[in-house]
Amino acid sequence: MDKMFSDLYKAGCDVRMFEKLSCHTSMKIGGKVRYLVLPNDVVSLEKAVELLSKTIPFQIMGLGTNLLVQDEDLEIAVLKTERLNQVEIEGERVVVESGTPLKRLCLILMEAELEGLEFAYGIPGSVGGAVYMNAGAYGKEIGEFVEAVEVLKEGKRYWISKSELSFGYRDSIFKREKMIITRVEMLFRRGKKDLIKKRMDDFLEKRLEKQPIDLPSAGSVFKRPRNDFYVGKAIESLGLKGYTIGGAQISKKHAGFIVNVGGATFKDVIQLIDFVRKKVKERYGVDLETEVEIWWSGKRL
């Protein structure tokens, strides 16, 4: 038996060897990795990081909803945090593990009559991923509600206060420093369940109406370059809705999304991203940056 497999298994993780990441990303694209590691709690995550750090490069994955991965096999391990999903509520203060789906957290908060996160209902992905990129929608961002984040760094777990997290538009300290988010402490306000539910339903209805939720995608592809520049509208104005390369298509519903309409490859999507960047630069003189995370040769781009 493979020794690393055995060691990770003994550390409290479930492990799959040569697993296709296309089965774990919302874009349905991604080659095989040497180990897909599923820690069952924070302690087993710590042990897995310790083992892998000595042996093989690794990446952290939440629910894979904001991720584009190369088709070729990757000689790396992937630590998937989906089983770290415990939520503790004390008054208006909530401590949530990083792998918890945002949608599940919204439902838990509704039942506890805590308001503020309704805008995130329907955003795919995990709490850790949302904090990593300071996910937001409809004028709100998750960083507004974060009080502190517990991280794993160099074998130690400790809390970082809000003032140190450097939240910005689709940005945080985690994009610049190698730390693993394990738990997030958040603060909300008291509200009424029926009003919270109505707001959640309203936001979800907007997403269903305007976003291609029915097709594989990695969410909004590009960051907004400035407050008054709307990327989706700019791409639409260029007549690119529905433009297709291979199996990758600029969504006919929302031009800020690239969808997999069947058999899309990593190359298809990258070529489409580059094509859009070129056309937007030519027309508007604007350089677009990707919001989606890209793994190429095992590295984040």
Side-chain angles (χ1 to χ4, degrees):
M1 180 179 290
D2 183 284
K3 187 175 185 306
M4 179 56 71
F5 178 97
S6 176
D7 289 345
L8 289 165
Y9 204 79
K10 289 174 183 176
C13 302
D14 289 325
V15 190
R16 300 171 190 167
M17 293 186 66
F18 308 110
E19 182 85 354
K20 284 187 176 181
L21 289 189
S22 58
C23 299
H24 298 271
T25 63
S26 59
M27 196 75 186
K28 305 303 181 189
I29 296 173
K32 293 176 186 175
V33 290
R34 182 66 178 271
Y35 305 100
L36 181 78
V37 185
L38 298 155
N40 285 294
D41 55 26
V42 174
V43 174
S44 58
L45 171 67
E46 284 184 271
K47 291 178 181 177
V49 169
E50 183 180 358
L51 287 165
L52 294 170
S53 296
K54 301 171 184 175
T55 311
I56 186 171
F58 65 89
Q59 293 280 14
I60 303 295
M61 177 189 285
L63 298 179
T65 57
N66 188 48
L67 192 57
L68 177 62
V69 183
Q70 71 178 51
D71 296 310
E72 294 79 16
D73 295 349
L74 293 161
E75 191 58 29
I76 65 171
V78 170
L79 279 162
K80 197 174 185 199
T81 61
E82 63 181 25
R83 297 184 182 178
L84 308 183
N85 56 18
Q86 299 300 303
V87 179
E88 299 174 8
I89 298 177
E90 188 174 332
E92 297 174 353
R93 199 166 294 271
V94 178
V95 176
V96 54
E97 289 186 335
S98 60
T100 306
L102 266 179
K103 193 170 184 178
R104 176 170 174 256
L105 178 59
C106 288
L107 291 167
I108 289 171
L109 294 174
M110 179 188 73
E111 292 296 332
E113 298 195 303
L114 294 174
E115 67 177 18
L117 204 64
E118 295 90 326
F119 73 92
Y121 189 57
I123 294 179
S126 65
V127 170
V131 171
Y132 172 86
M133 67 173 294
N134 192 21
Y138 306 110
K140 306 287 284 184
E141 295 174 331
I142 196 166
E144 297 173 39
F145 304 93
V146 174
E147 292 294 297
V149 176
E150 185 189 62
V151 300
L152 176 61
K153 182 180 181 182
E154 296 176 352
K156 296 180 180 178
R157 258 196 298 148
Y158 56 92
W159 287 90
I160 300 177
S161 65
K162 183 170 190 167
S163 61
E164 302 172 87
L165 295 174
S166 302
F167 282 125
Y169 172 66
R170 301 298 179 266
D171 193 30
S172 75
I173 191 173
F174 303 108
K175 291 202 167 186
R176 292 176 291 282
E177 294 198 23
K178 196 170 179 63
M179 297 181 281
I180 299 171
I181 299 168
T182 52
R183 292 190 294 171
V184 180
E185 181 183 345
M186 308 178 79
L187 188 64
F188 299 98
R189 303 178 302 271
R190 284 285 168 199
K192 293 185 177 180
K193 181 178 176 179
D194 57 341
L195 295 178
I196 295 170
K197 184 179 187 306
K198 185 181 185 308
R199 287 193 292 270
M200 285 167 55
D201 289 344
D202 288 346
F203 283 123
L204 187 61
E205 191 61 39
K206 286 180 183 178
R207 287 193 170 90
L208 289 168
E209 180 185 339
K210 297 180 180 179
Q211 297 179 8
I213 294 172
D214 56 327
L215 291 171
S217 82
S220 181
V221 176
F222 300 103
K223 296 178 184 177
R224 188 185 300 172
R226 58 177 191 262
N227 287 337
D228 63 344
F229 190 92
Y230 295 91
V231 178
K233 288 183 178 179
I235 297 170
E236 183 176 354
S237 73
L238 294 169
L240 295 179
K241 264 188 172 181
Y243 187 87
T244 303
I245 295 178
Q249 182 184 82
I250 298 172
S251 170
K252 296 177 181 179
K253 200 169 190 180
H254 190 309
F257 288 67
I258 291 175
V259 294
N260 183 348
V261 292
T265 65
F266 178 80
K267 184 179 178 181
D268 292 339
V269 180
I270 291 295
Q271 286 183 342
L272 195 50
I273 287 172
D274 289 344
F275 177 77
V276 169
R277 278 175 160 163
K278 179 185 176 185
K279 292 298 182 182
V280 170
K281 178 70 172 178
E282 287 173 354
R283 172 70 67 86
Y284 296 103
V286 169
D287 292 307
L288 294 180
E289 291 183 33
T290 56
E291 183 174 315
V292 64
E293 291 282 328
I294 301 173
W295 290 3
W296 202 341
S297 299
K299 298 177 181 177
R300 276 190 165 97
L301 299 182

